[in-house]
Amino acid sequence: MKHFDPEAFTAQSEQSFSQMYPALAALGKHRPQALKDYERILREARRFRREYIEPHALEVERAVMRDPTYVAEGAIRAASEYGFFSTMIPRAFGGGGLSFGAMIIALEELGAGCLGISNLLGVHGLALATVSATGDLAAMEKVSRLLTSGERAGRPHLLSTAITEPSAGTDVEDADFLRVARLVSEATPVRGGYRLNGRKVFISNGSIAHTHVVILPTDKKKPVETTFAFLVETTTPGFRVGRVERKMGQKACPAAELIFEDCFVPESARLNSKPLPGRAIELVLGATRGGVGAWGTAAARGAFERALVHAKTQRLDGRFLIDHQWVQIKLADMQRNVMLARASYVDAMLSNELFGLSRLAARNGMNEIQRLLPQRVLDSAAVKKVMTSRRAREGFQAAIDELADWEVDTASAHGSAAKVSCTDLGMVNCHLALEVFGAAGLRHDSGIEKIYRDAKLLQIYEGTNQLNRIELYKRGVNRGATGLDLTPRPGTPVEHEVQP
Amino acid sequence: MSEIDLLRESVRRFAREVVGPTREALNHFPERPLPAGIVSGLGELGLFDAEIEPGLVSAALEELAKVAAAPAALVLTHAVARALVREAGGGRSAALGGLNGHGIFACPIYSELDLTDGAPSLRRIGAEIELEGTAQLVVGAPLAKVLVLPVRDAAGWALVGLETSEPGVVLGEPLLTLGMRGCPTADVSFQQRRFPADRVLATSPEVVRRVARRFRGAAVAISAGILASSVQAATEYAQERYQGGGAIIEHQEVRAILGRMLEDLAVCQDSRELLERDTVPEWRALAAFLRAKERAAHATSDGVQLLGGNGYMEDYGQERAMRDAKQAQFLFGRTDVARQALAGAVP
Ligand SMILES: Cc1cc2nc3c(=O)[nH]c(=O)nc-3n(C[C@H](O)[C@H](O)[C@H](O)COP(=O)(O)OP(=O)(O)OC[C@H]3O[C@@H](n4cnc5c(N)ncnc54)[C@H](O)[C@@H]3O)c2cc1C
């Protein structure tokens, strides 16, 4: 009997890229550059996890427990050294020029170390994705420059995205619900710009971000027709940060209330020419929900990795835990859940590249051109002029408009499916891992109970898992179904057009 | 009013008036000091009395846990540790028993008490014993007068009873735990220190199995209390919260989740009642015990879910319920380990 062979054993945290992502590795034969990018970012993320996250995650958490306004400056500085805040920014704007997919791979790796720190980086990425989806390349350029120059100095210009309102959470995640949402915030058009009033709640990075991407209607009675994204600097008069929440987990990433009181922003602060609901929002969410899927996978994996180490080193009834069959079966289930979850978000990521936001970013060989040109050329005024020109902006909007409905729906359905599946599996693995740990897992210093608390958030934000099932129904199961009430009350006449 | 109803009523009042206002501070232990008045109040209610029956403990704990589970965990731990001392019998047992009323009895109640992996080791040297190693997660230890600890001896298993004041007993810092924050818990270590041999209370794990069986109902009562408060908060929120064109309780999926939570609450309460009866076959008692604790742990996660983002915040109590119920699932050890004892029982 060989119950354990240290030579053959690969620690989960040491798995190679192709062990983790066989589908992408296979596809890499056709896209060698993408594969190189993925492998490189995985290596870097792993190094950051090892060198910074693992040694500091618990200590950061204790600091926030003592003082909820504590900012994980150390993590921000360390991540800056790796350029993680600008990974997705086009090279022409001074960033790493990597794809959204590459970023997602990094988020899983970092999240397996600490979901809170990974979230701090990721929600910043979500904001960038939101800005890029508006097609406002001038704004993208401005934000990118601020960000990258700050990042080089170890003080990145952080972003947040503010959608949720006190009385509208699920309702602002879906165009049908938005119609009946009880909104309290509005950007009233005034001479030269807009006057912002209202409140946003639970905004990740809200208390530490320098620029907020704020989603607001210009007429809150007609939100579907009038909602736009606005860039608001923290220093704008009339803007302030309200309460910083005390959360169950993900403590490294603060969530805060944003308050707007007659906060004036100029016309140029409005990012997009067309209202967001519908296409643009759906493209963003289709992409970012895949990212939350990567976090769900990270939770599943973080729990699994720790349970495996515990099982190898601790005993129960005289035997190592790993020598108990019930533990072996649990570990196998955890491994399986990680594989399933990862496959699900990789599907979402590829679907996004085929049909969604990432396709737009990669259109006309933009990525290839950027890769080939030296940074010196990319930094030149001429390139900047082309990139931020009106033509480029209109071209982007046209590209959004050219996507077929089914394409947007497909990317969106994959995003929602991955979000729900991965985050549920993340929780499942936490329960399994805690069983393997037993009482030892209840201690904060075990690191496992933290994952349980952190992972719960993933089922709630970026649309609750209930809302995401409704989206999957509308975009995947029953495409074309729209309307507030898809389950009409008894007595309401309904007509179904059922195709055999 | 029966004795049980009287106790329920006074515990309910104490929970509402004394424990309720300190919940936030309790929840931030050990980052913040333990609020005053809780432990003494529990004592005044008679919950640390030596003679208190498991049935009464169970009723009291359910009421307490509806407001805050941490004090309930402390009461249960004391009752179990106290019962272990008594059950062991002998002269030392009587001496320690006499300390009841002078402080808490502590024990590692989230561990499989009949197993000693990772527990301190015991060596017999003439009329003395030597203890070496660390007893982890000893519930109540920072407040304790008496420690009741399973240890590893050459023969396998032994139970020792020590006073915290004895030289050689080293108490660690209060630990931060997943749930039950505010029920002070710490590691206790020994560095090759000798104690009189009469500190060994028992050498057969049957003692802890018998005692644990008696307190299963009380453990489940904690899960039931936690879940009851989670269901109530979720129901009230669902009736108030407007989303998707109406109160969220009007959405079928929300109703389905709430319905499932109530099913689980019924399981917990039925299990508690079942476990209070004397004549229940062991396999049914164990099944009820495991099922209730597990269902409460899962249902309280749904309790968070139904409040959306607010559920994740400390202000609404749902996140605390989720953490406490998960920790309560580990009372007397892992579900999957205990479950294996069920197999083979032929109804
Ligand atoms: C830590 C944290 C960080 C966050 N970060 C951000 C951020 O950076 N930016 C941002 O904009 N937002 C953020 N959010 C907000 C998050 O997106 C919302 O909490 C989420 O969308 C749910 O909204 P809600 O909290 O209002 O819950 P509600 O919408 O009130 O939902 C309550 C419950 O009702 C259910 N429900 C609601 N409507 C329906 C329906 N029609 N049918 C069936 N069930 C329904 C929900 O599933 C849920 O179970 C964050 C939240 C948290 C907790």
Side-chain angles (χ1 to χ4, degrees):
Chain A
M1 183 185 93
K2 199 175 206 177
H3 67 106
F4 187 72
D5 179 356
E7 296 288 312
F9 179 82
T10 319
Q12 289 303 311
S13 54
E14 299 287 350
Q15 279 201 335
S16 71
F17 180 84
S18 47
Q19 280 177 302
M20 290 171 70
Y21 299 96
L24 291 180
L27 282 178
K29 290 197 171 29
H30 310 284
R31 296 194 314 172
Q33 185 56 47
L35 183 62
K36 270 192 204 143
D37 286 350
Y38 296 152
E39 287 181 331
R40 177 164 64 82
I41 192 120
L42 178 68
R43 266 196 313 275
E44 285 174 18
R46 189 163 288 176
R47 192 155 61 85
F48 181 55
R49 177 184 171 188
R50 247 337 103 65
E51 288 176 3
Y52 187 84
I53 296 184
E54 302 276 358
H56 295 289
L58 292 179
E59 169 196 308
V60 168
E61 223 205 9
R62 286 296 288 252
V64 180
M65 284 185 181
R66 279 189 288 272
D67 170 13
T69 63
Y70 174 89
V71 180
E73 300 277 7
I76 295 173
R77 241 190 336 269
S80 298
E81 282 169 27
Y82 284 79
F84 283 141
F85 292 100
S86 59
T87 306
M88 283 192 313
I89 290 179
R91 279 183 62 222
F93 293 162
L98 290 188
S99 64
F100 191 74
M103 183 70 197
I104 292 186
I105 286 171
L107 293 179
E108 180 198 313
E109 189 65 30
L110 303 174
C114 172
L115 283 168
I117 293 176
S118 189
N119 197 52
L120 193 158
L121 290 158
V123 292
H124 166 86
L126 159 66
L128 278 177
T130 311
V131 176
S132 83
T134 65
D136 191 331
L137 293 171
M140 188 69 185
E141 202 262 352
K142 182 179 149 206
V143 168
S144 302
R145 292 286 170 200
L146 281 171
L147 214 163
T148 50
S149 61
E151 190 176 46
R152 269 179 234 120
R155 284 189 311 276
H157 191 90
L158 294 177
L159 305 184
S160 85
T161 308
I163 310 177
T164 308
E165 301 206 353
S167 45
T170 299
D171 281 358
V172 288
E173 294 269 338
D174 174 281
D176 290 328
F177 296 148
L178 186 58
R179 237 173 257 289
V180 293
R182 290 183 177 163
L183 302 177
V184 295
S185 310
E186 196 171 48
T188 318
V190 292
R191 184 205 293 261
Y194 299 87
R195 202 172 53 237
L196 278 41
N197 275 296
R199 286 200 300 145
K200 295 284 180 181
V201 291
F202 306 146
I203 307 309
S204 295
N205 285 355
S207 53
I208 55 172
H210 306 83
T211 299
H212 309 276
V213 182
V214 188
I215 312 297
L216 288 170
T218 54
D219 178 354
K220 64 181 177 220
K221 296 208 185 63
K222 290 192 199 140
V224 177
E225 294 76 19
T226 70
T227 293
F228 298 94
F230 296 85
L231 277 187
V232 182
E233 304 297 324
T234 316
T235 48
T236 315
F239 169 85
R240 68 190 162 90
V241 174
R243 60 180 279 150
V244 178
E245 299 289 348
R246 277 187 178 273
K247 303 185 265 103
M248 169 158 65
Q250 298 226 2
K251 292 182 190 275
C253 180
E257 177 189 28
L258 307 184
I259 300 171
F260 305 88
E261 289 158 329
D262 287 333
C263 172
F264 174 81
V265 295
E267 187 65 50
S268 63
R270 192 185 99 179
L271 292 184
N272 42 335
S273 45
K274 285 197 172 180
L276 277 176
R279 277 279 152 104
I281 280 270
E282 222 170 273
L283 285 168
V284 172
L285 292 174
T288 56
R289 284 174 179 158
V292 177
W295 279 324
T297 311
R301 189 173 144 210
F304 170 44
E305 285 182 5
R306 283 165 182 78
L308 180 55
V309 170
H310 189 79
K312 273 171 41 196
T313 53
Q314 303 300 315
R315 293 170 194 266
L316 179 76
D317 208 3
R319 278 185 283 164
F320 279 110
L321 277 158
I322 203 165
D323 294 332
H324 288 260
Q325 191 184 43
W326 71 269
V327 175
Q328 294 165 0
I329 299 287
K330 280 204 162 25
L331 290 168
D333 275 342
M334 282 188 251
Q335 166 84 285
R336 179 171 73 90
N337 289 342
V338 171
M339 288 169 167
L340 273 173
R342 191 179 287 132
S344 174
Y345 88 72
V346 167
D347 256 10
M349 165 183 153
L350 294 176
S351 165
N352 178 35
E353 285 178 10
L354 281 175
F355 308 118
L357 193 62
S358 296
R359 162 158 141 202
L360 301 182
R363 77 193 196 290
N364 307 334
M366 272 293 280
N367 286 356
E368 294 311 313
I369 294 168
Q370 279 196 63
R371 200 186 314 281
L372 296 173
L373 290 179
Q375 192 66 45
R376 181 170 41 79
V377 177
L378 291 174
D379 287 341
S380 69
V383 168
K384 178 177 166 182
K385 203 167 156 200
V386 173
M387 291 289 286
T388 60
S389 66
R390 200 178 145 157
R391 249 191 81 199
R393 180 175 170 158
E394 283 169 359
F396 194 90
Q397 185 62 53
I400 293 186
D401 294 340
E402 274 162 23
L403 288 172
D405 283 342
W406 72 266
E407 293 179 307
V408 182
D409 281 351
T410 303
S412 175
H414 271 112
S416 285
K419 198 267 178 187
V420 176
S421 310
C422 299
T423 60
D424 284 357
L425 288 169
M427 286 302 285
V428 169
N429 269 17
C430 287
H431 284 287
L432 293 172
L434 279 164
E435 271 302 296
V436 172
F437 268 82
L442 303 174
R443 313 164 64 103
H444 181 257
D445 53 18
S446 72
I448 185 69
E449 62 86 39
K450 171 178 179 292
I451 307 180
Y452 183 64
R453 290 180 287 110
D454 286 352
K456 180 64 205 175
L457 173 59
L458 306 174
Q459 296 181 314
I460 298 171
Y461 72 177
E462 210 64 4
T464 63
N465 280 9
Q466 289 68 43
L467 179 271
N468 271 285
R469 285 182 177 87
I470 295 173
E471 292 307 301
L472 179 53
Y473 176 78
K474 287 183 182 177
R475 315 287 158 222
V477 180
N478 188 5
R479 279 195 56 231
T482 53
L484 174 64
D485 205 347
L486 298 177
T487 51
R489 309 283 185 278
T492 322
V494 263
E495 284 171 34
H496 279 295
E497 264 182 54
V498 182
Q499 288 175 0
Chain B
M1 254 205 219
S2 69
E3 191 185 359
I4 246 183
D5 290 335
L6 276 173
L7 182 68
R8 264 191 194 273
E9 187 47 46
S10 43
V11 171
R12 204 176 289 148
R13 188 161 352 102
F14 171 73
R16 196 174 53 229
E17 290 169 8
V18 181
V19 181
T22 66
R23 265 193 304 209
E24 203 199 326
L26 276 175
N27 204 21
H28 287 120
F29 182 84
E31 310 296 353
R32 287 199 224 159
L34 204 61
I38 304 282
V39 178
S40 56
L42 294 169
E44 281 158 26
L45 285 166
L47 296 177
F48 295 129
D49 286 0
E51 306 77 29
I52 187 164
E53 280 302 308
L56 282 176
V57 174
S58 157
L61 296 193
E62 186 170 15
E63 292 306 325
L64 261 178
K66 284 179 188 166
V67 176
L74 186 66
V75 172
L76 175 67
T77 305
H78 174 85
V80 169
R82 177 69 192 83
L84 283 172
V85 168
R86 187 174 34 209
E87 190 81 12
R92 183 67 193 159
S93 156
L96 288 178
L99 295 172
N100 200 82
H102 299 279
I104 300 289
F105 283 45
C107 74
I109 199 166
Y110 300 110
S111 308
E112 289 78 17
L113 291 168
D114 54 350
L115 299 177
T116 53
D117 309 274
S121 60
L122 177 152
R123 215 152 59 94
R124 288 166 200 272
I125 308 166
E128 288 186 318
I129 56 165
E130 186 183 86
L131 291 174
E132 161 77 27
T134 302
Q136 297 212 5
L137 218 75
V138 183
V139 180
L143 304 172
K145 184 87 181 158
V146 176
L147 302 166
V148 182
L149 309 171
V151 294
R152 210 153 17 100
D153 81 349
W157 186 94
L159 189 71
V160 296
L162 298 159
E163 286 182 59
T164 26
S165 57
E166 290 185 64
V169 175
V170 183
L171 203 66
E173 289 293 306
L175 292 166
L176 177 61
T177 47
L178 167 64
M180 306 292 194
R181 294 184 191 151
C183 173
T185 298
D187 293 341
V188 177
S189 42
F190 308 93
Q191 282 143 7
Q192 295 190 332
R193 287 302 288 254
R194 295 196 180 178
F195 300 88
D198 71 350
R199 299 315 190 243
V200 178
L201 301 177
T203 51
S204 162
E206 259 321 301
V207 177
V208 293
R209 295 191 189 122
R210 265 200 312 274
V211 169
R213 276 203 283 276
R214 232 183 298 140
F215 283 94
R216 276 177 192 157
V220 163
I222 295 183
S223 297
I226 298 168
L227 181 53
S229 77
S230 176
V231 172
Q232 189 186 345
T235 306
E236 284 167 10
Y237 193 85
Q239 284 161 344
E240 298 276 308
R241 178 71 174 171
Y242 171 96
Q243 214 69 201
I248 59 171
I249 200 166
E250 289 165 25
H251 300 304
Q252 289 179 347
E253 178 59 10
V254 169
R255 300 183 74 81
I257 297 173
L258 263 181
R260 218 163 35 231
M261 286 180 76
L262 278 151
E263 280 176 32
D264 292 337
L265 179 59
V267 166
C268 288
Q269 293 183 347
D270 291 350
S271 298
R272 181 183 56 69
E273 284 169 21
L274 180 115
L275 288 164
E276 272 159 25
R277 285 187 239 141
D278 295 328
T279 52
V280 182
E282 166 57 14
W283 72 272
R284 285 201 60 196
L286 180 54
F289 172 66
L290 297 178
R291 191 171 52 222
K293 290 191 304 167
E294 189 173 53
R295 297 278 283 263
H298 282 90
T300 44
S301 174
D302 283 340
V304 170
Q305 193 70 19
L306 284 178
L307 269 70
N310 281 329
Y312 200 70
M313 306 307 168
E314 288 181 8
D315 318 60
Y316 288 78
Q318 295 296 79
E319 64 88 33
R320 182 164 43 84
M322 175 175 154
R323 290 184 291 102
D324 287 348
K326 188 64 197 170
Q327 183 142 332
Q329 193 190 336
F330 286 88
L331 285 168
F332 302 118
R334 300 166 174 90
T335 306
D336 281 290
V337 173
R339 187 169 277 147
Q340 291 179 39
L342 254 182
V346 182

